[in-house]
Amino acid sequence: MKATAKAHTNIALIKYWGKRDEKLFLPMNNSLSITLDQFYTTTSVEFCTCLKKDIFLLNGNIMSEEETNKMSRFLDLIREMSGSALYGVVDSINKVPTAAGFASSASGFAALAAASTKALGMEISDDILSQIARQGSGSACRSIHGGYVEWEKGEQLDGSDSFGKQILTENEWDLSILSVLVEPNEKKVLSREGMKRTVDTSPFYTGWLETVDDDLKVAKQAIHDRDFEILGNVLESNALKMHATTLGANPPFMYWTSATVAVMQKVQELRDDGILAYYTIDAGPNVKVLCQPKDEDTVREKLTTLSVVKEIYLCHPGPGISYLPNTNTKSCC
């Protein structure tokens, strides 16, 4: 009863910001993302009759009781669905620069959902798998698929219609995504905390909700038409509006640093010079810069001239969930 799955992380072009249900991770709005080829998590799950509790290893290290309990609560959802009462060993290798805030929870919970359901012999659709992954980390529902993915917020109270849907495969439109690291330390306001504070207290949040559906329509049409300039303009605008909502929260907070702004300004300079490049920023200080593959070397060279830039990771659209052979056939018992 063992399976191994690999899932890639993603970046949101049209942001997910705000939940209508905290427990089920049901979003206030649809979102749109690109799955990335370079950042991923590989997870093996083995369920055994001899275990009295779950065991969680990450990058070869046994995790704390707090982290293990969090993982166990997620496995409880799958155990309930499958009718199994078995505990398991979860062994994850994370190839995401976690400290840099590059959404490792998305690939982590997507891989965990895929490996654990496979290990228990569950025959489920990608829609159901996406719903399961969503309950570990909202953005994980988008990492079930490769390429360009829309997370449909759904209307049902139980979340049965809230899952990721692929709108374009990773092979149908190649773009370059440069993940620019300017701050490796953990952010002071975690995403979940910041999201809830914004929804509960920011007067700017209603303005966000009033415009995000239109942003989504524009972005989806741009992807359909392969119009990078239109897509770039709307993804950049959407990110700026999302971050503006945090300034109205009580107490207010900001994810940007001076280094974040320096990268944003450099991207604007690139456009002034005729190079189409656009930025987006998740709940953190680091910046993702999108451009066309023909410009990726130039954009990377220009960004590396900034002293605040510590590292640049070059990515392209990546694949969805894949299942790998089990490398260790020995039972956990």
Side-chain angles (χ1 to χ4, degrees):
M1 302 185 74
K2 182 177 182 180
T4 302
K6 180 179 180 181
H8 292 249
T9 192
N10 65 80
I11 61 161
L13 306 182
I14 303 300
K15 303 299 185 186
Y16 147 54
W17 194 240
K19 301 185 186 78
R20 71 177 193 273
D21 187 306
E22 293 282 335
K23 183 179 179 181
L24 294 176
F25 288 75
L26 298 178
M28 297 286 282
N29 61 276
N30 287 26
S31 58
L32 182 65
S33 66
I34 300 180
T35 304
L36 303 179
D37 60 350
Q38 295 299 312
F39 300 156
Y40 60 88
T41 302
T42 303
T43 297
S44 295
V45 179
E46 183 175 10
F47 292 97
C48 299
T49 56
C50 62
L51 293 174
K52 303 299 182 183
K53 62 179 181 179
D54 293 317
I55 299 171
F56 181 26
L57 294 90
L58 178 61
N59 295 334
N61 300 311
I62 296 178
M63 299 304 290
S64 67
E65 183 177 358
E66 180 182 358
E67 289 296 323
T68 300
N69 288 340
K70 180 180 178 182
M71 182 274 300
S72 290
R73 287 192 295 270
F74 181 74
L75 285 184
D76 286 342
L77 299 172
I78 298 167
R79 282 188 277 254
E80 182 178 357
M81 290 180 66
S82 68
S84 172
L86 295 176
Y87 293 107
V89 177
V90 175
D91 189 355
S92 288
I93 303 297
N94 202 24
K95 297 296 184 179
V96 184
T98 308
F102 288 139
S104 60
S105 62
S107 58
F109 278 103
L112 178 58
S116 55
T117 53
K118 187 81 167 178
L120 289 173
M122 297 171 64
E123 297 290 339
I124 57 176
S125 67
D126 284 346
D127 289 352
I128 299 297
L129 183 59
S130 181
Q131 290 176 44
I132 295 171
R134 186 201 71 225
Q135 295 176 72
S137 172
S139 57
C141 78
R142 299 187 305 236
S143 284
I144 300 302
H145 302 284
Y148 300 77
V149 182
E150 180 180 2
W151 175 9
E152 298 179 352
K153 66 177 183 179
E155 303 294 338
Q156 299 300 318
L157 295 179
D158 64 358
S160 58
D161 57 350
S162 180
F163 46 80
K165 283 281 192 182
Q166 186 182 66
I167 63 173
L168 207 66
T169 72
E170 62 271 25
N171 299 316
E172 291 182 276
W173 191 24
D174 191 19
L175 292 179
S176 301
I177 306 102
L178 290 82
S179 295
V180 184
L181 174 64
V182 298
E183 177 53 66
N185 297 321
E186 185 174 326
K187 55 201 175 192
K188 293 181 179 179
V189 180
L190 299 179
S191 301
R192 293 184 187 184
E193 176 192 346
M195 190 180 295
K196 181 170 173 47
R197 190 192 306 178
T198 301
V199 172
D200 290 346
T201 67
S202 177
F204 303 151
Y205 188 71
T206 54
W208 156 262
L209 287 181
E210 288 169 359
T211 61
V212 70
D213 285 345
D214 288 339
D215 288 349
L216 181 71
K217 290 177 183 176
V218 172
K220 288 174 69 175
Q221 188 62 50
I223 291 171
H224 179 269
D225 296 338
R226 314 298 198 270
D227 192 321
F228 180 63
E229 185 170 7
I230 290 179
L231 178 63
N233 281 320
V234 71
L235 71 87
E236 193 170 284
S237 171
N238 184 264
L240 291 172
K241 285 185 289 187
M242 186 204 89
H243 283 271
T245 66
T246 70
L247 300 178
N250 185 20
F253 63 100
M254 179 185 289
Y255 287 114
W256 301 353
T257 66
S258 59
T260 308
V261 176
V263 174
M264 295 160 65
Q265 290 173 334
K266 178 60 71 172
V267 173
Q268 291 170 343
E269 290 175 14
L270 284 165
R271 288 206 298 274
D272 290 341
D273 293 337
I275 298 172
L276 292 183
Y278 301 88
Y279 57 78
T280 186
I281 309 161
D282 291 328
N286 299 304
V287 186
K288 287 78 177 177
V289 179
L290 280 80
C291 65
Q292 297 172 98
K294 66 183 180 65
D295 295 322
E296 66 181 32
D297 290 340
T298 301
V299 172
R300 185 170 192 165
E301 180 182 347
K302 295 294 184 181
L303 290 172
T304 55
T305 63
L306 295 172
S307 61
V308 297
V309 172
K310 294 178 169 58
E311 187 69 68
I312 297 176
Y313 305 88
L314 176 62
C315 301
H316 294 270
I321 287 288
S322 60
Y323 296 94
L324 308 177
N326 295 315
T327 56
N328 182 7
T329 58
K330 182 180 177 181
S331 169
C332 63
C333 297

